[in-house]
Amino acid sequence: MHQPFTLQQLFDLQHQASRQQVDVPALVRKERLLRIQKILHEHGTTLAAAVQADFGVRSPQLTEMADLMVLRTMLSHTLRNLNQWIRPQRVWTPVHLLPGTGRIEHQPLGVVGIISPWNYPLQLALGPAIAAIAAGNRVMLKPSELTPHTSAQLAHVIGQFFAPEEFCVIQGDTQVASHFSGLPFDHLVFTGSTAIGRKVAMAAAQHLTPTTLELGGKSPCIISNDCDLETAALRIAHGKLLNAGQTCIAPDYLLLPRGQEQAFEQAFRKAVAQLFPTLSGNPDYAAIINQKHFNRLRNLAQQAEAEGAQVQWLESAAQLSSSAAPGWGDAVQRQMTPALVWNVHSGMAIMQEEIFGPLLPVITYDRLDDVIHAINAGERPLALYWFGNDDKLRDSVLRRTVSGGVTVNDTLMHVAHDNLPFGGVGPSGWGAYHGKHGFLRFSHQKSVFLQAKWSSASWLYPPYGAKFQRIMTLIKRLG
């Protein structure tokens, strides 16, 4: 058992170690990744139980699929490709620099800090760590204080498998997180809300620390006239209700062709019943993380209704009453009933805030141009979803909107593709990782030019006479 260190001491340990071993061999990186793989193999069940304890209702199968399986896939992909990623990359050399050659070498940045959220407390803690370790870095992880059982278990198992100068976990409240974000890391990763992301970016800027911010926002889901509503409704319901909507890339609101309201409602009800034959007490349907977040969602629904929206609960919404248990309360009471919210407008809070729960506002439209205008009038989202069979319409939407990522005819799936970068744009975040993109994000790409014994650059030395003019004319022609 390692003796306790202060936050500053842990940072100093990692900083010193990263400077003493600048070149981290591929074998060392792989061995560290294999240790994470062993943690998941030996302690996956215990970690899933910790997540269950934090949510109150969240089945181990949900954590296995949404957290542990994603991490196992990520590790396998990284271990399989790491040798290739590390290899120096030769680049084309322009004619006036020949016969010299150029290459890019990938070096560790040093110490990477990670502030992870509560909604997928394993995947979003260890996912960035895998990429950072693959790039040869030391890692300090600050998990969310809203999942204390998971944070404690992560600290325990990582402390068993790693020395503190390699990879360590810091537990604590928001004050600890604030101090953590102000450390002079070589890179800082934050996943969470846009509001907190701004604070993290400001703290990091004091040391010119580069950041990767994975935030969120209001990710639109567009249904085209020609799509199969039943298939679309099932896939939308899965994306919206996975983890009870507590997913940064969940469909936040739906854009539906006018006249298809009743058909979609029926298809959505059928889809929800197929995925969750019962809601209350069903361990596969996660509880809202705590009473504060439950109350926020309840207030969003009530405010929308007071302003003229129609909130259509898919089952009895008795638990939305003010008699809901105080504090953490009974976790089953925090299993919020899914709802479709009709007749919303842009001024409502439910259309201003990221929902992060099982409420799905529906906006009807007449023309696709109206959809494009509505999306572009807001901040750029983390994800966009398109359901339809017309490739030209699809490509028009993708060309005329900007979002962090896109899944066509499904939801969430782009985040599971190891060869696609995952990240936001503008207020939904910046920087992208996953797979090779994560390796590059947490590496310094050092430019190296190797001059030959004979250098053509000598032709460009002064004095600048007639010979120089002839060479410049030739370079212009070849360029």
Side-chain angles (χ1 to χ4, degrees), residues 18 24 27 257 309 329 337 349 366 378 456:
S18 71
V24 182
L27 282 175
T337 301
D366 297 304
S456 60

Side-chain angles (χ1 to χ4, degrees), residues 122-161:
L122 300 176
Q123 181 205 145
L124 296 176
L126 296 179
I130 289 167
I133 288 170
N137 298 288
R138 316 282 167 154
V139 174
M140 294 178 67
L141 168 64
K142 167 61 181 75
S144 173
E145 66 279 3
L146 296 187
T147 48
H149 296 89
T150 308
S151 299
Q153 194 61 35
L154 278 171
H156 175 67
V157 296
I158 288 171
Q160 283 187 320
F161 282 78

Side-chain angles (χ1 to χ4, degrees), residues 388-411:
N389 299 312
D390 189 318
D391 293 351
K392 289 184 179 178
L393 286 180
R394 175 201 66 201
D395 292 343
S396 175
V397 170
L398 299 193
R399 282 196 308 269
R400 297 165 65 193
T401 60
V402 178
S403 60
V406 174
T407 291
V408 173
N409 287 324
D410 209 337
T411 59

Side-chain angles (χ1 to χ4, degrees), residues 2 25 32 58 80 141 216 249 271 291 342 351 356 413 440:
H2 302 297
R32 290 172 179 165
R58 194 186 200 251
R80 188 167 56 250
L141 168 64
I249 56 169
Q291 195 66 36
W342 305 90
M351 291 306 298
F356 226 64
M413 291 299 108
L440 293 175

